[in-house]
Amino acid sequence: MSKDVKTPMLDDLEKGAWPSFVKEIKKAAKRSNTAHDLLGILERSYRDKVTHWKHGGIVGVLGYGGGVIGRYCDLPEEFPGVAHFHTVRINPPSGFFYTSKAMKELCDIWDKYGSGLTNLHGSTGDMVWLGTQTDKLEPIFAEITAKGWDLGGSGSCLRTPSSCVGMARCEFSNIDTMSICHTMTQKFQDELHRPAFPYKFKIKVSGCANDCTAAVARADMSIIGTWKDNIRIDQAEVKNLAKSMNIQEEVVDMCPTKCMSFDGSTLKINDKDCNRCMHCINRMPKALRPGKEKGATIMLGGKAPIVTGALMSWVLVPFMKLEAPYDNLEALIRKLWEWWDDHGKNRERIGELVDRMGMRSMLEATGLPPVPQMVKAPRTNPYVFWAPGEVK
Amino acid sequence: MADKPKRITDLGSPDYNKFLPPVIAKNYGKWKYHEYINKGVMKHVSETGDELYTVRIATPRLVSTDYIREMCDFSEKYSGGYLRWTTRHNVEFFPAKEQVDGLVADLKKAGHLVGGIGYGISNVVHTQGWIHCHTPATDASGVVKAVMDELHEYFTTKTLPARVRIALACCLNMCGAVHCSDIAILGIHRLPPKVNEATLANQCEIPTTIASCPTGAISPNPATKSVKIKSERCMYCGNCYTMCPSLPIADGTGDGISIYVGGKVSNARGPARMSKLVIPFLPNNPPRWPETVKAVKHLVEVYAQNAKKHERMGEWIERIGWERFFKLTGIPFTYQHIDDFTFARDTFRMTPTFKWE
Amino acid sequence: MDAAELQKKIYTLVETNMGKKKMKSGDLKKAMVAEGATEEEFKAALRELVDGGKLVYSYFGGSFIEVPHTEGSANPQQ
Ligand code: HEM
Ligand code: HEM
Ligand code: HEM
Ligand code: HEM
Ligand code: SF4
Ligand code: SF4
Ligand code: SF4
Ligand code: SF4
């Protein structure tokens, strides 16, 4: 352990109403050298305004290519407790429900082998255990697997899939998001632990167009629940709600497709024109519910800016029925991976490959038909390519 | 390896059914509607008539095992030993109706912030920063703490015209995918990496390093067995540093924060959209980042005064027009606001139709 | 292809490229398929090598397969 260092800047962040991460590090520092030296090196970063971490590429458990992020500090003599500061990603249960018993067991393991500090959760959705050393990795792995837990993904592989709370607690959900997420995680264990892709691949599942997992922005494959038939209306509840809200202004006037009307007692929806945006249902959950013919829109290609700029996912399949065991979804994902594997360059996300090769190459490889839902509008430019054989 | 016990691998994700509170397991897929009781409590009602109460509090995301054990104790006392984390780093408990008030009081007594439901500011999705990452241009936890110390009332009591989602990513890799948030706080570098010629040949593969640059700014420097960086081509993404540790990009003066606004992921009323740059640079000023705190607070307040009910920040700006947004907020418009990267032309205006006010 | 022979070929390919080009799992697969192995045979052989600790996965922006060694960042002297 480094000798006691003063941390005036961090101490300032113990004040204030919002929960303080500095208090958390200090709690852990009472027991752990690693947490103690984290305080010291973090204060140094606050003073220098730069990070003191170095990237490390070869740490992990035997046989897996992901789940551990190697990290070393650039001041190991001063802060030996964080000379090695690797993180371990643990695959959480879909929906992030826990029992206190399971959580406490995990805490016991982490207190034994690591800093006692975690992120709940990292942005991918894994439980992130911050700060341990290479020689602790196998013991951690043995103990978590004995309790039924496994590592999550990192590297050029399938990342830990995640979902919104869905049918467990949300009446809007058109698909069983937690079951889909869990089933895909289990089917693709090899792809998750043994990186064989050109780059990372993320799957996120949201039960409706509110998209609580931000799937459209954060996942290469975004699965978003929707419905095909009519919104279910409870007119008695509409009348009730009319007493406490302005249905005309807050709902009808804000409908993007102008397909609703309200005469003061009855709400009418022209479902042919509705594009199922969720606004009215969000506003009046007691009175309105999605229809009964439920499924999901499958979208492809979302990612953060690296390397060519941020992309949002676009439509691949406008409507897919999703019922356990979701073999149709699995088959589609495997076909996409095969095409990506054949053509993708190192660090090329699947969305970027579509940019480079064109939608047609991908559609032909997966057998998906071109449909109008894939585009905002057909092309305007006349530089249209024809395949040999199409010109007869 | 035959002498070792067989390792258990490929377990994947534990079965979530083991962790569902009984009322949720029973009413799975049968929820009918919900109501917000207040900013910290909501109620779901099932087709079976069962009710579920949820109480939500904010966490700092980076927590100790002591904290988790404390949450477990609350859950054992009030929630049958069940609890849930939200992906915005909140914790939820599921007390019986008559235990709601007791739980809320107990949580508050222990100093926790109960809230985050409905129209206001929920917890801030953020990344690692100086706590753990090698490429950050700013810290994550510290900036979030400083901003939310100022805005916590929007979590616990005050309401806004609609949800305001704040997210922070400490570099433009954007682990947190902040690019679709109402207010995105994004760490940026403004100087190209420095070439450490003494160590480069040893530490890095030159072809891989050159290939890592998306703008082709890196070329070989045979004289020193190292590389050169064409600074006018570099957009400070830090990609090369990930591939080659001898190209450090962090710089105390060059690094800082930029602010993007108006994104959302929900499709309600209109499609998901990305956040747009409004403040190109604010300095790193730890431990409290006063410039950033002031800017975020100002944006929230101008929005609160001007937006209509249910209008997300981006919808409000689109209604009033960007020219009016810059006038109302008093933020100066600069060269940096005009895109000059791959998709620039898409962002140029092609109509002579403006709002002058 | 014979499993032992395939493993040897994979190992040799990684070893001879060390310091020149980092090999990805996909690069190795393409090379072995070109030599007559099936994808399944390749996958099994690679898994065998990695489970036995002869090869390891590394991460530098993307995932690669390497011969185990102590890396630069882990070494305070560098
Ligand atoms: C070249 C691009 C990228 C590099 C070099 C990179 C690097 C890293 C590193 C080093 C970490 C570990 C942070 C830590 O724990 O210290 C990390 C974490 C993470 N990255 Fe990336 N990343 C890149 C792109 C992305 C993108 C595009 C996304 C999302 C769309 C992403 C999502 C994540 C997530 C979710 C984490 C977990 C961190 C957390 O929860 O705070 N990364 N990344
Ligand atoms: C527990 C179940 C949930 C219920 C009952 C629920 C309820 C609601 C309601 C009533 C709205 C409409 C409010 C509005 O229009 O802003 C809404 C909107 C939304 N919810 Fe939820 N929510 C739940 C969980 C979640 C979760 C877990 C997420 C995300 C992780 C989420 C994300 C959203 C989003 C993105 C919107 C859209 C806000 C907008 O753009 O207007 N919801 N939700
Ligand atoms: C299917 C492809 C297209 C066809 C068949 C087409 C055909 C034509 C024709 C016949 C004219 C009238 C010429 C004249 O009478 O002087 C015209 C005018 C024009 N086209 Fe196109 N065009 C095509 C695509 C485009 C595209 C992609 C653009 C630009 C984005 C474009 C921009 C224009 C413009 C600016 C004019 C002048 C319009 C005007 O005078 O009002 N055209 N085009
Ligand atoms: C501007 C866009 C966004 C909107 C409108 C939005 C809206 C919502 C809403 C309404 C909720 C419901 C729960 C609550 O009230 O706290 C929610 C939860 C959540 N949001 Fe977002 N969000 C947005 C962006 C993001 C982004 C960018 C991320 C991730 C980086 C994200 C991740 C989450 C997560 C993880 C939850 C909690 C999920 C859960 O409870 O399972 N959201 N969001
Ligand atoms: S995405 Fe839709 S179904 Fe899922 S939690 Fe959000 S509102 Fe509910
Ligand atoms: S779901 Fe959207 S488009 Fe459809 S009726 Fe409701 S508000 Fe209008
Ligand atoms: S956003 Fe950038 S700096 Fe921050 S944790 Fe992610 S990769 Fe690291
Ligand atoms: S920081 Fe990015 S743009 Fe600049 S040289 Fe490195 S890889 Fe190229």
Side-chain angles (χ1 to χ4, degrees):
Chain A
M1 198 189 298
S2 66
K3 53 182 184 322
D4 264 324
V5 283
K6 293 254 178 308
T7 56
M9 284 193 172
L10 292 180
D11 297 349
D12 192 63
L13 291 175
E14 289 185 78
K15 299 173 203 146
W18 194 252
S20 167
F21 68 100
V22 175
K23 281 188 190 161
E24 295 303 316
I25 304 178
K26 288 196 173 176
K27 283 185 214 163
K30 291 208 182 101
R31 290 177 273 111
S32 151
N33 288 350
T34 307
H36 179 271
D37 279 2
L38 176 64
L39 277 176
I41 199 153
L42 188 60
E43 178 76 15
R44 187 66 63 87
S45 277
Y46 270 55
R47 216 177 66 199
D48 300 347
K49 304 185 188 181
V50 293
T51 191
H52 284 289
W53 301 110
K54 294 195 294 184
H55 183 53
I58 312 187
V59 283
V61 301
L62 185 68
Y64 279 14
V68 179
I69 312 267
R71 194 67 78 233
Y72 308 91
C73 82
D74 61 6
L75 302 166
E77 280 83 16
E78 257 179 279
F79 302 105
V82 291
H84 291 214
F85 193 69
H86 308 325
T87 56
V88 181
R89 294 183 178 180
I90 312 279
N91 196 328
S94 298
F96 298 144
F97 287 93
Y98 296 95
T99 56
S100 64
K101 178 168 169 288
M103 265 295 185
K104 285 180 176 172
E105 284 171 359
L106 289 171
C107 288
D108 291 342
I109 301 174
W110 187 229
D111 281 339
K112 190 159 147 198
Y113 295 111
S115 72
L117 289 168
T118 90
N119 289 137
L120 287 168
H121 298 78
S123 333
T124 325
D126 287 316
M127 242 184 269
V128 175
W129 289 2
L130 286 162
T132 190
Q133 292 79 35
T134 308
D135 59 338
K136 312 275 177 54
L137 296 172
E138 284 295 335
I140 291 174
F141 187 64
E143 293 214 18
I144 61 165
T145 50
K147 295 280 182 202
W149 301 82
D150 196 355
L151 298 183
S154 65
S156 305
C157 62
L158 174 66
R159 299 303 182 82
T160 308
S162 76
S163 76
C164 74
V165 68
M167 291 187 171
R169 200 193 49 194
C170 184
E171 68 271 24
F172 299 160
S173 199
N174 294 289
I175 47 177
D176 191 345
T177 56
M178 281 164 50
S179 158
I180 294 167
C181 175
H182 181 72
T183 311
M184 292 303 131
T185 307
Q186 301 312 93
K187 283 190 191 216
F188 297 134
Q189 279 294 294
D190 194 45
E191 287 79 3
L192 201 152
H193 295 304
R194 297 173 191 86
F197 296 157
Y199 204 16
K200 62 183 90 169
F201 191 92
K202 301 186 178 180
I203 301 177
K204 295 200 192 292
V205 193
S206 289
C208 79
N210 285 331
D211 191 7
C212 296
T213 59
V216 73
R218 302 199 300 159
D220 299 272
M221 171 160 285
S222 322
I223 300 169
I224 301 182
T226 187
W227 70 96
K228 265 189 162 172
D229 54 344
N230 296 348
I231 291 178
R232 288 177 281 168
I233 309 181
D234 180 340
Q235 296 292 356
E237 276 302 334
V238 172
K239 286 190 186 69
N240 252 338
L241 280 168
K243 291 174 209 153
S244 60
M245 68 188 287
N246 186 335
I247 292 180
Q248 183 66 37
E249 266 180 28
E250 293 180 49
V251 181
V252 176
D253 293 349
M254 293 183 88
C255 166
T257 63
K258 304 290 170 235
C259 66
M260 313 182 88
S261 60
F262 181 58
D263 62 8
S265 72
T266 306
L267 185 69
K268 286 210 184 104
I269 301 180
N270 176 0
D271 286 277
K272 279 204 175 63
D273 282 347
C274 163
N275 69 8
R276 294 154 182 84
C277 81
M278 289 300 294
H279 173 70
C280 59
I281 300 175
N282 286 343
R283 299 272 57 80
M284 308 170 68
K286 259 186 165 168
L288 303 180
R289 310 175 72 183
K292 290 181 163 167
E293 193 186 348
K294 294 160 183 282
T297 302
I298 315 291
M299 304 169 84
L300 186 78
K303 58 179 263 312
I306 294 291
V307 174
T308 55
L311 297 173
M312 294 207 291
S313 295
W314 65 86
V315 175
L316 203 55
V317 183
F319 191 86
M320 188 187 259
K321 276 241 177 278
L322 286 181
E323 275 152 19
Y326 316 109
D327 291 338
N328 51 349
L329 182 62
E330 179 189 359
L332 174 63
I333 294 174
R334 289 202 188 274
K335 274 191 238 159
L336 286 164
W337 284 345
E338 212 172 290
W339 175 75
W340 184 34
D341 197 33
D342 283 347
H343 303 288
K345 299 193 244 182
N346 181 31
R347 304 194 69 188
E348 188 171 45
R349 298 280 284 267
I350 195 165
E352 293 165 327
L353 181 62
V354 174
D355 283 349
R356 185 159 66 79
M357 306 265 303
M359 276 281 272
R360 178 167 185 163
S361 166
M362 186 264 291
L363 293 177
E364 283 178 346
T366 49
L368 292 170
V371 293
Q373 286 91 338
M374 287 175 178
V375 295
K376 289 179 197 154
R379 72 162 79 205
T380 54
N381 83 66
Y383 314 121
V384 181
F385 292 100
W386 298 90
E390 272 181 334
V391 185
K392 283 187 208 142
Chain B
M1 298 271 143
D3 50 329
K4 285 198 182 162
K6 185 153 167 40
R7 302 168 78 246
I8 309 170
T9 67
D10 297 78
L11 287 178
S13 151
D15 184 354
Y16 56 86
N17 287 300
K18 290 193 298 198
F19 302 122
L20 297 180
V23 56
I24 288 187
K26 178 176 165 215
N27 294 288
Y28 197 95
K30 297 186 194 138
W31 297 107
K32 188 149 184 275
Y33 68 92
H34 68 280
E35 281 169 4
Y36 297 154
I37 310 290
N38 56 47
K39 290 212 69 172
V41 185
M42 62 180 163
K43 171 173 115 171
H44 285 74
V45 179
S46 163
E47 281 160 1
T48 64
D50 287 353
E51 294 183 344
L52 170 73
Y53 285 84
T54 301
V55 172
R56 186 182 285 176
I57 65 165
T59 84
R61 184 175 105 119
L62 174 64
V63 296
S64 61
T65 46
D66 311 59
Y67 186 96
I68 299 172
R69 290 177 204 275
E70 187 193 347
M71 293 301 119
C72 289
D73 292 343
F74 277 117
S75 82
E76 282 166 15
K77 187 160 172 207
Y78 287 104
S79 182
Y82 295 93
L83 71 171
R84 172 174 184 265
W85 259 260
T86 75
T87 14
R88 295 200 84 92
H89 320 307
N90 299 316
V91 174
E92 294 178 338
F93 302 97
F94 311 104
K97 183 176 182 183
E98 50 292 351
Q99 287 200 300
V100 170
D101 293 341
L103 171 59
V104 169
D106 251 17
L107 286 166
K108 285 186 178 162
K109 204 163 70 196
H112 297 292
L113 298 184
V114 180
I117 293 173
Y119 284 176
I121 300 178
S122 186
N123 212 328
V124 179
V125 171
H126 62 280
T127 48
Q128 299 290 12
W130 296 334
I131 297 271
H132 189 261
C133 194
H134 67 296
T135 54
T138 187
D139 190 34
S141 312
V143 183
V144 169
K145 165 81 174 136
V147 167
M148 289 312 289
D149 272 344
E150 198 63 35
L151 296 177
H152 67 273
E153 283 169 339
Y154 292 107
F155 186 89
T156 50
T157 51
K158 284 193 194 168
T159 55
L160 288 167
R163 293 185 158 75
V164 174
R165 295 290 164 211
I166 305 182
L168 178 147
C170 37
C171 86
L172 39 67
N173 287 329
M174 294 198 198
C175 290
V178 302
H179 56 282
C180 290
S181 305
D182 296 83
I183 300 180
I185 305 171
L186 176 64
I188 54 161
H189 302 287
R190 296 183 301 164
L191 293 170
K194 294 176 254 313
V195 182
N196 191 341
E197 295 192 332
T199 55
L200 194 136
N202 252 342
Q203 280 188 328
C204 315
E205 284 168 9
I206 292 180
T208 323
T209 307
I210 292 173
S212 74
C213 178
T215 64
I218 307 179
S219 57
N221 187 354
T224 56
K225 288 206 172 124
S226 168
V227 298
K228 287 183 286 208
I229 296 181
K230 206 174 214 175
S231 50
E232 65 276 19
R233 278 212 176 172
C234 174
M235 44 59 157
Y236 329 117
C237 70
N239 251 356
C240 53
Y241 178 60
T242 303
M243 301 302 277
C244 169
S246 295
L247 294 174
I249 190 169
D251 183 281
T253 316
D255 298 350
I257 281 175
S258 59
I259 296 192
Y260 288 66
V261 307
K264 69 177 190 112
V265 291
S266 160
N267 289 277
R269 300 172 299 283
R273 60 205 68 171
M274 294 194 196
S275 319
K276 282 102 187 160
L277 176 70
V278 293
I279 303 181
F281 186 79
L282 295 166
N284 270 334
N285 207 346
R288 289 251 163 215
W289 282 267
E291 298 85 356
T292 301
V293 171
K294 194 172 146 213
V296 173
K297 188 167 185 228
H298 181 58
L299 285 165
V300 170
E301 284 169 354
V302 176
Y303 159 78
Q305 279 159 19
N306 292 279
K308 291 184 185 165
K309 198 169 169 192
H310 311 311
E311 224 173 22
R312 294 283 294 269
M313 186 168 288
E315 295 170 291
W316 161 63
I317 298 172
E318 277 161 34
R319 174 169 61 79
I320 64 169
W322 281 101
E323 51 270 38
R324 196 127 53 103
F325 169 84
F326 280 98
K327 200 176 229 174
L328 274 173
T329 54
I331 297 170
F333 193 84
T334 66
Y335 291 126
Q336 276 83 15
H337 289 93
I338 303 180
D339 195 351
D340 49 15
F341 204 57
T342 34
F343 309 125
R345 276 292 293 277
D346 291 352
T347 65
F348 297 170
R349 208 175 307 181
M350 294 158 192
T351 55
T353 48
F354 314 113
K355 290 174 181 158
W356 293 110
E357 195 163 12
Chain C
M1 196 186 289
D2 175 60
E5 187 195 337
L6 182 56
Q7 286 184 27
K8 201 161 156 222
K9 280 191 177 182
I10 296 173
Y11 186 87
T12 312
L13 186 58
V14 175
E15 198 183 28
T16 48
N17 275 291
M18 260 179 75
K20 283 178 256 164
K21 178 176 189 303
K22 285 196 203 302
M23 302 299 283
K24 286 186 81 74
S25 173
D27 301 334
L28 296 170
K29 183 178 86 185
K30 279 176 192 150
M32 293 304 126
V33 169
E35 298 218 11
T38 66
E39 291 196 11
E40 286 67 35
E41 285 171 345
F42 165 77
K43 237 178 157 173
L46 179 64
R47 183 153 176 190
E48 205 45 36
L49 283 164
V50 173
D51 282 353
K54 292 211 179 68
L55 293 178
V56 291
Y57 288 100
S58 67
Y59 181 83
F60 288 95
S63 299
F64 302 91
I65 309 267
E66 299 191 45
V67 175
H69 59 276
T70 308
E71 57 181 326
S73 305
N75 187 347
Q77 271 73 52
Q78 252 181 327

